[in-house]
């Protein structure tokens, strides 16, 4: 056992990089109780922990969100004598009262990551089956959270917003656009490609508003917001040609993958990192990358008034994609934010 009393005594600000939402909430809260500042503070961790809480704040601030319904009861209740009461049909009715099933209803865990447990239904049978998957757990103690399927074409956006004490919140001008046709979920985790996309002013202003909505009067923070553009039928290219372009981009990405697998990473990190950066640059200069990036930017610009924000991540990754694709090293605003609190 190590005694960290001395270390903690001299700490003024803690950078909270614990990987699970629960641990971050716990860590910030404990440090705040010791009189330390945390970035992000526990109240921000608390809001970001839950998609519903985040959405409620956005909604209260007039920020556009996907139509969302939360039913605060479980799909199955068990009585004391062991009988099961099935609420799925009633829950499905409540969801269908607000969201058109033909357009698609997305059921998702209130607390979750990597797109896990996020399921889409387009008919009653699927909806009932999906509601059944929403089992109560420690992280999702009760209820079913559902959303309209945003008609977002092939990509969604991750947008970085940060603030230092004494300064206005800032939205990083380039978002990460995660794209592919593998699934309606476009997370990078599911093997989708990532492009950088310059954001229109309107979207940046809304992102800053999201920061204000979640942070209350906290003086320093860093978030990554998830947003989607409801492109609907306003597509500038047919999906077949786009799939071909994405396949070409995947081929152009192969050299990056090769560097990522290279074991020099463990022996000579700076050399490996230079190789990674060079491979990424080549990828970003490749024809398919440039083409898809311009399709995405054009569709964001044309449909910017149809943007919806649906989640805030309080511990954005700051390694490969955000740094090399969006061109921001999140460690910098994090450190500057911490410094501003000293
Ligand atoms: N209402 C929706 N309409 C359309 N697509 C959706 C909707 N909700 C989620 N998605 C898709 O599913 C993906 C994952 O959703 P979401 O960000 O809510 O989950 P997550 O588990 O928090 O993922 P991550 O950890 O990557 O943020 C999104 O990137 C998006 O592509
Ligand atoms: Mg997300």
């Amino acid at each position: 056992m190590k005694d960290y009393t001395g270390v903690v005594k001299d700490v003024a600000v803690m950078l909270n990089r614990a990987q699970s939402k629960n641990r971050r909430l716990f860590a910030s809260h404990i440090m705040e109780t010791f009189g330390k500042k945390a970035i992000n503070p526990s109240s921000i961790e608390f809001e970001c922990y839950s998609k519903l809480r985040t959405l409620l704040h956005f909604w209260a601030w007039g920020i556009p969100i996907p139509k969302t319904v939360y039913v605060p009861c479980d799909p199955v209740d068990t009585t004391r004598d062991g009988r099961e009461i099935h609420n799925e049909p009633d829950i499905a009715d409540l969801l269908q009262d607000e969201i058109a099933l033909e357009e698609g209803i997305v059921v998702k865990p209130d607390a979750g990551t990597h797109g896990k447990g996020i399921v889409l239904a387009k008919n009653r049978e699927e909806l009932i089956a999906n509601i059944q998957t929403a089992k109560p757990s420690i992280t999702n103690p009760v209820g079913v959270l559902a959303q309209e399927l945003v008609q977002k074409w092939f990509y969604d956006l991750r947008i970085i917003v940060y603030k230092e004490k004494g300064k206005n919140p800032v939205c990083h001008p380039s978002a990460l656009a995660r794209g592919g046709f593998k699934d309606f979920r476009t997370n990078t985790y599911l093997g989708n490609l990532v492009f950088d996309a310059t954001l229109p002013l309107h979207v940046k202003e809304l992102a800053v508003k999201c920061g204000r909505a979640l942070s209350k009067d906290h003086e320093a923070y860093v978030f990554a917001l998830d947003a989607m553009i409801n492109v609907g039928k306003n597509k500038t290219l047919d999906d077949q040609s786009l799939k071909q372009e994405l396949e070409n981009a995947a081929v152009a990405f192969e050299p990056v993958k090769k560097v990522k697998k290279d074991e020099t990473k463990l022996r000579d990190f700076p050399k490996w990192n230079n190789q990674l950066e060079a491979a990424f640059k080549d990828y970003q200069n490749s024809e398919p990358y440039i083409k898809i990036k311009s399709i995405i930017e054009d569709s964001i610009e044309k449909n910017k008034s149809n943007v919806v924000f649906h989640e805030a991540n309080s511990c954005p990754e700051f390694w490969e994609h955000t740094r090399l694709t969006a061109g921001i090293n999140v460690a910098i605003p994090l450190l500057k934010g911490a410094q501003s609190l000293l």
Side-chain angles (χ1 to χ4, degrees):
M1 282 276 277
K2 276 191 182 162
D3 182 356
Y4 287 100
T5 316
V7 178
V8 171
K9 190 169 86 17
D10 295 333
V11 166
V13 185
M14 179 204 43
L15 304 176
N16 193 347
R17 296 294 299 176
Q19 280 306 296
S20 96
K21 294 184 186 209
N22 251 326
R23 287 183 186 198
R24 283 200 298 280
L25 185 57
F26 206 71
S28 281
H29 197 262
I30 287 179
M31 293 306 273
E32 284 161 5
T33 314
F34 288 158
K36 318 292 179 189
K37 298 250 165 92
I39 178 165
N40 290 317
S42 61
S43 84
I44 291 182
E45 290 295 343
F46 179 75
E47 305 304 355
C48 293
Y49 191 107
S50 152
K51 292 187 164 86
L52 181 66
R53 282 199 287 271
T54 303
L55 287 159
L56 283 169
H57 284 289
F58 290 172
W59 171 79
W61 276 65
I63 295 158
I65 60 169
K67 191 180 266 191
T68 303
V69 179
Y70 175 65
V71 181
C73 88
D74 291 322
V76 180
D77 285 318
T78 311
T79 59
R80 271 198 209 163
D81 57 1
R83 271 183 312 119
E84 283 190 344
I85 301 170
H86 282 266
N87 302 315
E88 296 95 337
D90 291 337
I91 296 174
D93 287 347
L94 289 167
L95 303 185
Q96 283 181 259
D97 281 349
E98 298 300 328
I99 309 172
L101 182 54
E102 320 73 70
E103 304 287 325
I105 296 183
V106 176
V107 169
K108 53 168 80 177
D110 180 46
T113 50
H114 300 325
K116 269 183 236 149
I118 302 187
V119 278
L120 171 64
K122 288 204 162 169
N123 61 50
R124 178 87 179 178
E125 217 182 318
E126 287 169 354
L127 182 61
I128 298 276
N130 290 351
I131 291 169
Q132 272 160 353
T133 65
K135 297 212 169 63
S137 65
I138 291 175
T139 42
N140 292 288
V142 66
V144 178
L145 183 68
Q147 249 165 16
E148 65 174 312
L149 175 72
V150 175
Q151 305 296 324
K152 66 176 187 309
W153 205 4
F154 67 101
Y155 66 90
D156 76 324
L157 299 173
R158 178 154 283 194
I159 302 170
I160 306 282
V161 178
Y162 57 88
K163 180 176 157 20
E164 287 170 43
K165 184 178 174 179
K167 294 191 181 171
N168 285 326
V170 176
C171 172
H172 183 64
S174 289
L176 291 174
R178 307 169 297 181
F181 281 102
K182 288 184 202 298
D183 191 285
F184 81 95
R185 297 164 302 167
T186 45
N187 314 54
T188 335
Y189 190 76
L190 301 169
N192 287 299
L193 291 169
V194 184
F195 303 86
D196 64 297
T198 305
L199 292 170
L201 181 64
H202 172 68
V203 176
K204 285 190 284 190
E205 283 173 352
L206 281 173
V208 163
K209 205 169 171 185
C210 290
R212 294 191 199 278
L214 292 178
S215 63
K216 299 178 198 106
D217 49 4
H218 280 291
E219 296 155 318
Y221 53 79
V222 177
F223 308 125
L225 301 165
D226 282 356
M228 294 181 267
I229 305 278
N230 207 337
V231 169
K233 292 198 166 61
N234 296 339
K235 301 177 180 176
T236 45
L237 190 70
D238 64 283
D239 286 358
Q240 209 44 48
S241 315
L242 194 54
K243 275 180 196 162
Q244 185 56 54
E245 283 304 332
L246 284 161
E247 271 170 36
N248 297 345
V251 173
F253 191 65
E254 280 303 319
V256 176
K257 276 184 157 167
K258 206 169 148 210
V259 177
K260 279 172 33 168
K261 278 194 206 129
D262 194 322
E263 283 177 8
T264 35
K265 181 182 181 176
L266 302 172
R267 277 177 273 119
D268 187 349
F269 184 79
K271 183 175 164 205
W272 175 82
N273 187 41
N274 284 341
Q275 281 171 355
L276 182 70
E277 286 181 6
F280 239 95
K281 231 178 217 112
D282 288 346
Y283 168 57
Q284 289 188 300
N285 288 328
S286 73
E287 221 172 280
Y289 184 98
I290 292 169
K291 196 156 177 192
I292 296 169
K293 172 179 156 71
S294 89
I295 292 168
I296 293 173
E297 287 180 342
D298 181 51
S299 103
I300 299 175
E301 177 56 40
K302 289 201 173 108
N303 301 285
K304 61 185 174 216
S305 52
N306 295 331
V307 66
V308 287
F309 287 82
H310 66 108
E311 198 194 355
N313 303 275
S314 55
C315 189
E317 71 97 35
F318 53 62
W319 180 232
E320 190 185 308
H321 288 298
T322 320
R323 188 172 67 94
L324 299 180
T325 312
I328 176 172
N329 181 350
V330 176
I332 293 171
L334 200 62
L335 286 165
K336 283 191 172 169
Q339 217 164 23
S340 73
L341 293 172
L342 290 174

